[in-house]
Amino acid sequence: MPSLSEVKASNAECASTYRPTAIFVGGTSGCGQGTAEAFAKATQGRAHILICGRNKEAAERIISTFPQHPESKYEFVECDATLMKNVVKAAEEVKHKIGETTKLNYLVMSQGIMTWNGFDPTSEGIDKKLALHFYGRWKFVDELLPLLEKASTDGEEARVMSILAPGTAGALDTADLGLKKNYSVLRAARQAPGCNDIFVSEYSSTHPMVSFIHIMPGYVDTPLIKDMPWYIRSLRPLTSLFARSITDCGEYITGALLNPNYKTGGFWLDQNGDAVSRRRLWIDDKDALKKLVEHYKKEVSI
């Protein structure tokens, strides 16, 4: 496990011969915010950074803290990522903002909610928690993959990162994908990470020039707890003593995002950027993969 000072030092040594373009979906708060801030600092402002989320005011406040460089370009893209049609619209806006280069180097996704509600479908029929934690993330990937592959073809970094919980799922219940038959908070908390694990394996196999990373943020003091019952919220002053700050979490995640060892392939990482044991990953069941891919394509089609 690298120390925080070691991670910060490594991030500070980040150097690129080109101005990288990065989008942070869910970057208006929590781990996504911390990662966007750490990335901006690591590049010393020589980057095109797009923050994608619902809260424009929060995005503008975050962007105002980014370092300035003659090549700095910071933008906001609005998106309620619970709906696949919104993801497609946001991806089109991203393509427009990126413009003629048609290249994207980093796609980082941390959008999510912490809730004890039961099955809560959107107008598209997908549970909101699962829409944010799985379906919408890989819909962004599908929409933006050509830009990532163009960057890789041109010799630049091309990385996708999903911030959630690798290696925590167990075997995938293919009889109830989407949890429309038997939903529970616990089952949702297991199925979304499991789907991300499998898709990292599948996409890294079918798109070998791009890096796909599923990383655990660890226990972080984030605003997500505000949606929990009062008796959980009341514990925050105590639990925050043992949690990483958003800033420190962002440094560790950025360290993994920029790590040269994760340039291409599929990677499942813990909160320190170290590999999760493969024994904890249920990614070799070809029948489960086939059923998940078919289910996903049906659910995200609009």
Side-chain angles (χ1 to χ4, degrees):
M1 168 184 164
S3 68
L4 179 60
S5 60
E6 288 172 333
V7 171
K8 287 182 175 180
S10 177
N11 292 347
E13 293 174 357
C14 168
S16 176
T17 58
Y18 56 89
R19 183 186 72 172
T21 299
I23 177 170
F24 295 87
V25 185
T28 56
S29 68
C31 301
Q33 173 186 341
T35 307
E37 291 171 341
F39 182 85
K41 185 171 69 171
T43 58
Q44 300 179 49
R46 185 176 179 240
H48 181 186
I49 298 176
L50 302 102
I51 293 181
C52 181
R54 293 177 298 175
N55 192 330
K56 182 178 181 180
E57 182 180 348
E60 291 176 341
R61 183 177 65 252
I62 294 164
I63 286 171
S64 70
T65 69
F66 288 174
Q68 293 298 318
H69 183 279
E71 294 185 66
S72 296
K73 187 175 183 181
Y74 305 136
E75 299 181 281
F76 171 69
V77 176
E78 184 174 0
C79 182
D80 173 358
T82 61
L83 294 174
M84 301 307 107
K85 66 180 181 181
N86 292 349
V87 171
V88 173
K89 180 180 178 181
E92 288 302 314
E93 185 175 349
V94 168
K95 295 172 188 176
H96 175 75
K97 289 181 179 295
I98 289 175
E100 294 180 359
T101 64
T102 64
K103 290 185 289 189
L104 176 64
N105 303 106
Y106 302 97
L107 168 57
V108 181
M109 299 165 291
S110 61
Q111 67 269 33
I113 52 175
M114 186 180 292
T115 175
W116 281 13
N117 292 340
F119 185 76
D120 186 13
T122 68
S123 58
E124 295 172 339
I126 302 173
D127 175 69
K128 289 180 181 178
K129 188 180 181 79
L130 294 175
L132 290 169
H133 292 183
F134 171 59
Y135 299 96
R137 295 188 183 201
W138 292 91
K139 185 66 171 175
F140 265 113
V141 175
D142 289 342
E143 295 296 318
L144 297 175
L145 254 176
L147 282 70
L148 289 153
E149 292 185 320
K150 175 65 163 57
S152 182
T153 298
D154 287 356
E156 298 180 5
E157 294 287 350
R159 305 193 183 199
V160 172
M161 175 178 276
S162 180
I163 304 172
L164 195 56
T168 63
L172 188 66
D173 180 6
T174 57
D176 192 16
L177 294 172
L179 301 180
K180 296 181 180 181
K181 300 176 183 176
N182 183 22
Y183 186 96
S184 74
V185 173
L186 178 59
R187 284 169 58 79
R190 289 168 61 90
Q191 187 166 115
C195 292
N196 275 273
D197 282 343
I198 291 171
F199 266 38
V200 164
S201 177
E202 171 66 6
Y203 277 64
S204 62
S205 174
T206 55
H207 304 279
M209 295 176 66
V210 179
S211 171
F212 294 88
I213 301 169
H214 184 192
I215 188 169
M216 172 91 72
Y219 183 48
V220 184
D221 186 21
T222 77
L224 279 177
I225 199 171
K226 73 180 187 302
D227 296 321
M228 299 299 285
W230 67 268
Y231 48 87
I232 300 294
R233 297 196 306 271
S234 67
L235 296 175
R236 186 176 184 184
L238 176 62
T239 57
S240 63
L241 296 174
F242 306 97
R244 273 185 183 161
S245 68
I246 288 172
T247 300
D248 291 351
C249 173
E251 291 285 356
Y252 273 98
I253 292 177
T254 297
L257 182 67
L258 301 177
N259 191 320
N261 294 323
Y262 306 144
K263 186 172 179 64
T264 57
F267 306 94
W268 301 263
L269 308 176
D270 66 17
Q271 63 268 30
N272 303 312
D274 297 324
V276 168
S277 171
R278 189 174 178 88
R279 290 177 297 177
R280 294 170 51 188
L281 302 171
W282 295 73
I283 57 175
D284 298 320
D285 187 331
K286 299 303 181 184
D287 182 62
L289 167 63
K290 180 181 178 181
K291 289 179 179 178
L292 178 60
V293 170
E294 290 174 351
H295 164 80
Y296 164 79
K297 289 180 177 179
K298 180 180 178 180
E299 291 294 283
V300 303
S301 63
I302 59 171

